[in-house]
Amino acid sequence: MMNVTQAGMKQPRFYGWTALIGVMLAYGGLCGDVIYAYGVFLPAMGKSFHWSRSALSGPYGLFIIVGGMLGPVAGMTVSRFGARKNIVLCNIVAVLGLLGMSQVEELWHVYLFFGVMAGMSLAFGEFISVTTVINNWFIRRRSLAMGLLFASGGIGGFAFPPLISWLISDLGWRIAWVCIAAIHLLLTVILSGMLIRSRPEDVGQAPDGLSDVTRQTLSKETTPKRVYQTSVDWNLRDALRAPALWMIIVLFSAFFFASNMLTTHQVVYLQDLNFSPMMSATAFGLMIGISIIGRLLSGALGLRFEGRHLAAVFLTSMGLGIIALIYARNIFFIYLYSILTGIGFGGMIVLMPNLLGAYFGRTHYSRIAGWTSPIITLVCSASPVVAGFLYDVTGKYFLSFSLAAFLIFASVMIALLSRPPRLPAMIEAPGSSPNPTR
């Protein structure tokens, strides 16, 4: 494809929306047939080998750790080789891991095939890679594209578990893993590989399909003043020195700490309140389903409202949902929790990459995002343990969920204080030549 450099020439079709479909297939597939799939297989595999639930929880913990701690490496490889290669190659490894899961005989096989091999897809092919593609292709409509991207993850998480359950019941868990591996190959390797292009420059285009001059003109004329977009591309060193980045890290560490605690313990908590197992599981599924609405809302509203202000709204919704859960004594409060928390959770998922892109630009986005990953992962992985410890000490979840609510409401203030960072002196100095991103 060619750029439009002369008046009167036909403008080529903007490829960014096609690239968006590619990363939606990759992200939705990864969420549906890897992240949310393991828990569906867990009961059948545990029964087959007489493994305890705690024994089978270890590989999933390793999966999360591998996915998070390799973030800085993933950021460097995405920056060096491009997001498309990372997505395709790491998901080939994941396909082999899923096939390996159909042949396990020992517990260490699960650690290898799922914890390590599937974990590599989480590190190199999920958040950092797919959001880098969106950040490269979209600036003016970044939030909308991010909303659509993360909605695909919610759809995958909502649709795949019933399919996997049906495959296990009809074909057995070993054949079900083979089927999931085939689906993963089709969605995240073949189709995504065909559609994704890492950067608009790879096909002779520019972000938003507009030339730099056109984008700057439209930015001055039509972009609402309250929606901030950095005018330069920050490098990693300057970004790590910016207080705004660390406020974003603290903000989303608190958010993921609370949300991971809820997703891990809410089902058993509701059963402790004498709600049926079906009702308890339905509340969790409804929360994930409602989160799709929050993701789409966040993407659409982000075109007109500052990300930090939206974060305050979505966090307030989530905090009120947690309070409804704490005092849930009838079905009304369960549905209220699922709706409020689902909208808040879904909206916040979209806002993290939006804020990073708006504050720090395109060129070094993957490296900057990669360095946030280990910190957030460590905090997130600690929350189920903290909740379990507080439950063991008190015999209730009141302190655990109260802590989650406190962190969420405290994060509202952090969000409002997370103003755009001041440009580094070297970039602001006369004679410097920053890369414009407006």
Side-chain angles (χ1 to χ4, degrees), residues 255-293:
F255 162 68
F256 282 112
F257 181 94
S259 60
N260 196 37
M261 178 185 292
L262 293 172
T263 56
T264 305
H265 289 275
Q266 75 167 70
V267 173
V268 67
Y269 165 75
L270 292 176
Q271 292 184 30
D272 288 346
L273 296 179
N274 296 320
F275 289 98
S276 69
M278 177 60 71
M279 183 65 244
S280 303
T282 299
F284 176 68
L286 178 62
M287 192 267 283
I288 297 297
I290 292 292
S291 77
I292 299 172
I293 298 175

Side-chain angles (χ1 to χ4, degrees), residues 54-135:
S54 60
L56 278 169
S57 297
Y60 192 82
L62 179 61
F63 167 77
I64 297 297
I65 291 171
V66 169
M69 299 307 292
L70 289 179
V73 180
M76 289 187 291
T77 58
V78 169
S79 178
R80 182 177 179 85
F81 303 110
R84 178 176 175 270
K85 289 182 179 178
N86 275 256
I87 291 170
V88 171
L89 292 177
C90 77
N91 278 300
I92 291 174
V93 175
V95 169
L96 296 175
L98 296 177
L99 286 174
M101 288 294 290
S102 70
Q103 303 300 315
V104 299
E105 297 292 345
E106 303 289 342
L107 186 59
W108 70 266
H109 294 165
V110 186
Y111 277 90
L112 172 63
F113 293 132
F114 192 87
V116 177
M117 296 177 70
M120 291 179 65
S121 69
L122 189 64
F124 293 92
E126 198 228 14
F127 178 85
I128 295 173
S129 292
V130 297
T131 58
T132 296
V133 174
I134 300 301
N135 201 49

Side-chain angles (χ1 to χ4, degrees), residues 201-218:
E201 292 83 357
D202 295 343
V203 293
Q205 294 192 1
D208 300 317
L210 305 173
S211 67
D212 289 342
V213 174
T214 303
R215 192 183 312 110
Q216 291 174 12
T217 301
L218 288 174

